[in-house]
Amino acid sequence: MSVLESQVNISEAALAFIQRQHKFLVGDQWLAAADGQTLDVYNPSNGEKIASVPSGSKADIDKAVAAARQAFDDSDWSRIKPVDRQKLLWNFADLIEQNAPLLAEIESIDNGKSMVIAEHVDIRLAVDFLRYMAGFATKIEGRTVDVSVPFMPDAQFHGYTRREAVGVVGAIVAWNFPLLLACWKLGPALATGCTVVLKPAEETPLTALKLAELALEAGYPAGVVNVVTGVGHEAGAALSHHPDVDKLTFTGSTEVGKLIGKAAMDSMTRVTLELGGKSPTIVLDDADIQTAAQGAANAIFFNHGQVCCAGSRLYVHKKHFDNVVADISSIASNMTLGSGLDPNAQMGPLVSARQQERVCHYIEQGIQGGATITAGGGAIEGPGFYVKPTVMVDVDHNAIVTREEIFGPVLVAMPFDDIDEAIRIANDSQYGLGASIWSNNLSQVHRMVPRIKSGSIWVNCHTALDPALPFGGFKQSGLGREMGSDVIEHYTEVKSVLMSI
Ligand code: NAD
């Protein structure tokens, strides 16, 4: 397997953006880091440095939180009508849509993902989600409550609740869907009237800076959207420990999510965590086997396996195991790898040299543990952070490769005898983010759904997301939900009002 040697042309607009002297947005000021530190950004398809961005520290986060606090407490934004919040969010979505080709190109160069996918999946979903959230700006409601206050038999009361914006939101996101994950935080925050300090991942800071520019262009007042680039243990840690942040929302690894959860509890900061996964793909004996094999391949190889809900554990009824594994291995072996800018490439590089090493280390561990490799099996020599799409069989349920999140294009496949066993092994994980069931037996599927401990269950599809459906994890895959109407609760507080009348 080799990497396509493509001549990819970067558009002038993308080049101009990538090569500019980047600054981050605090209030309405574009700033360098207070201590002058910068962070290098690399193109994963050739390993070359493409940009540097400011590397924010505590001093920068302090400034950004102060700007967000000021905007939340005392600015036009704090007095804005819901209908105007709706309009602004719609403007913001329109601008992202108008800039989709440019954003997709920047995302592809920064992250390594396919530009086509970035435009038609990541950015499409982000725009649809922001518009869906815009509708909620005018639908944030409390309740009237008929109360019976004890010990005051002659008094009468009017009781009601209000749902109010939680305040300053600290948002920290991962690198696998940089723009989309940022919009998952910005959408509900801006719909409900919060203000935001966003810290993108150090590997992929570029589209967040472009988003900041578009937020100002959309008309958001100074301080409503702030973006501080920087590394996790500095800028991220400063944001997650900041006493003036009212809510933290995090997307990333379970390990870092736990640190953020603990930091949040110190000041009782509201917190939602979207964390890792090791999601099962379950193929039942009555499934359409060719569809299921292609679906299972997409479930693990989409976005090069760097998907929190990637179908990284494949369980197939023993009757079809060999055929399904042969089909997926053939799909994997025939995949064309290349730059995300090349429309002929079916899979791009991983995001960084570190991620490439990490994934290859897991493949090695699998082999040392006795796994048989039926496709792929390691990195591709040469520039760029490519890893061959890999399929492993003869793997134990307790093997590291079965239990830990690899976050790359690596599938472990195992047979099962019956439904009870399939459910038991699917649930035998610390994670519970997504699961897919491939079957044509509707009753069987409906009986299985309640038994699988997972935030999302897909039937005859995998990683299919919609703004109206909540997304999030059971168990160590997280706390709270993104998207759907459910997300509004996480960005608002309930206030009870009781009036003696
Ligand atoms: P990561 O946890 O290393 O980093 C995520 C973010 O946290 C980055 O912005 C990073 O700078 C920051 N960070 C790192 N250390 C920090 C610290 N000590 N304090 C504060 N912030 C810190 O994760 P990653 O490698 O960027 O992303 C991959 C992980 O993200 C995978 O586990 C994946 O499953 C998960 N993820 C989950 C979802 C979901 O919706 N559940 C979506 C995408 C990715």
Side-chain angles (χ1 to χ4, degrees):
M1 184 172 274
S2 60
V3 174
L4 281 178
E5 280 185 30
S6 34
Q7 280 305 103
V8 284
N9 293 319
I10 301 180
S11 72
E12 274 178 35
L15 212 53
F17 179 81
I18 290 169
Q19 291 179 342
R20 68 163 68 159
Q21 194 187 2
H22 291 286
K23 296 195 169 166
F24 50 53
L25 180 65
V26 173
D28 55 3
Q29 305 281 306
W30 291 96
L31 302 175
D35 60 8
Q37 293 294 309
T38 56
L39 181 65
D40 289 341
V41 183
Y42 296 90
N43 176 347
S45 69
N46 57 20
E48 286 170 13
K49 178 183 158 188
I50 47 168
S52 66
V53 298
S55 185
S57 62
K58 183 173 178 309
D60 302 297
I61 290 290
D62 286 349
K63 269 190 235 163
V65 173
R69 169 58 57 201
Q70 152 83 26
F72 183 76
D73 285 348
D74 186 21
S75 73
D76 291 348
W77 177 251
S78 63
R79 294 177 283 275
I80 192 173
K81 288 185 179 163
V83 72
D84 294 323
R85 286 205 307 269
Q86 173 176 289
K87 251 187 250 165
L88 277 176
L89 200 41
W90 200 272
N91 288 352
F92 189 33
D94 283 350
L95 284 172
I96 296 173
E97 189 172 53
Q98 283 157 25
N99 284 275
L102 174 63
L103 287 163
E105 195 177 353
I106 298 169
E107 197 83 303
S108 171
I109 296 165
D110 198 6
N111 165 283
K113 67 170 64 204
S114 151
M115 182 166 77
V116 177
I117 301 269
E119 182 171 350
H120 297 287
V121 179
D122 301 34
I123 295 170
R124 177 77 267 145
L125 189 52
V127 169
D128 287 354
F129 176 63
L130 292 180
R131 289 184 178 144
Y132 174 78
M133 279 292 118
F136 275 100
T138 52
K139 292 163 199 70
I140 294 165
E141 296 170 346
R143 289 175 292 138
T144 55
V145 184
D146 203 4
V147 294
S148 332
V149 180
F151 309 121
M152 301 176 75
D154 299 326
Q156 286 190 45
F157 294 93
H158 172 47
Y160 66 96
T161 63
R162 289 173 48 78
R163 213 165 246 292
E164 299 180 354
V166 68
V168 173
V169 172
I172 301 174
V173 295
W175 44 258
N176 56 339
F177 292 90
L179 179 140
L180 176 61
L181 297 179
C183 289
W184 279 4
K185 315 300 189 190
L186 290 168
L190 299 174
T192 53
C194 297
T195 57
V196 185
V197 177
L198 169 69
K199 210 268 326 146
E202 44 270 56
E203 295 85 350
T204 55
L206 297 180
T207 48
L209 294 174
K210 185 72 192 167
L211 273 183
E213 202 181 291
L214 296 179
L216 285 184
E217 196 181 331
Y220 282 105
V224 175
V225 175
N226 307 272
V227 174
V228 178
T229 48
V231 297
H233 62 270
E234 283 191 38
L239 187 55
S240 55
H241 285 90
H242 204 292
D244 212 19
V245 167
D246 299 300
K247 177 204 162 56
L248 286 163
T249 172
F250 172 77
T251 299
S253 61
T254 296
E255 189 188 348
V256 175
K258 287 180 185 176
L259 293 177
I260 288 179
K262 285 175 192 158
M265 280 308 101
D266 277 348
S267 41
M268 217 46 83
T269 305
R270 276 60 184 139
V271 64
T272 42
L273 304 169
E274 291 295 331
L275 309 178
K278 190 78 184 173
S279 300
T281 301
I282 308 166
V283 180
L284 302 190
D285 60 349
D286 65 284
D288 174 340
I289 291 307
Q290 274 181 344
T291 309
Q294 184 62 59
N298 295 343
I300 180 62
F301 300 134
F302 170 59
N303 213 43
H304 332 163
Q306 302 167 129
V307 179
C308 49
C309 52
S312 50
R313 294 183 288 148
L314 173 65
Y315 300 120
V316 186
H317 189 274
K318 61 180 178 194
K319 185 164 103 184
H320 300 301
F321 183 74
D322 291 342
N323 287 341
V324 170
V325 168
D327 279 2
I328 298 176
S329 303
S330 155
I331 293 169
S333 303
N334 289 307
M335 280 182 111
T336 311
L337 271 61
S339 159
L341 295 181
D342 186 336
N344 296 315
Q346 292 166 301
M347 191 193 281
L350 301 195
V351 74
S352 63
R354 188 168 148 252
Q355 188 65 8
Q356 184 192 37
E357 265 168 45
R358 187 172 174 268
V359 170
C360 290
H361 182 62
Y362 272 115
I363 296 174
E364 275 308 308
Q365 280 182 301
I367 294 169
Q368 279 162 20
T372 305
I373 303 288
T374 61
I380 297 181
E381 290 284 313
F385 311 134
Y386 294 90
V387 171
K388 295 176 206 164
T390 297
V391 180
M392 288 186 200
V393 295
D394 303 326
V395 183
D396 187 64
H397 288 296
N398 294 317
I400 285 174
V401 287
T402 317
R403 306 206 75 81
E404 295 188 7
E405 184 184 43
I406 298 176
F407 219 54
V410 181
L411 179 69
V412 294
M414 274 167 257
F416 65 82
D417 286 334
D418 56 33
I419 297 288
D420 285 342
E421 187 192 7
I423 291 171
R424 185 178 56 72
I425 53 183
N427 285 336
D428 183 14
S429 169
Q430 62 172 324
Y431 296 113
L433 193 54
S436 62
I437 305 170
W438 296 78
S439 168
N440 288 309
N441 182 341
L442 281 183
S443 317
Q444 183 68 270
V445 169
H446 279 301
R447 283 195 296 269
M448 284 176 77
V449 167
R451 298 177 66 194
I452 294 181
K453 295 188 191 328
S454 168
S456 291
I457 296 192
W458 295 284
V459 181
N460 295 327
C461 57
H462 197 111
T463 312
L465 303 179
D466 186 274
L469 266 180
F471 179 75
F474 280 28
K475 302 194 269 183
Q476 297 206 22
S477 288
L479 286 177
R481 293 292 179 269
E482 304 275 25
M483 302 201 291
S485 56
D486 306 59
V487 74
I488 295 295
E489 282 181 26
H490 299 305
Y491 287 78
T492 49
E493 291 271 23
V494 176
K495 182 179 279 175
S496 292
V497 184
L498 189 63
M499 191 182 291
S500 172
I501 52 175

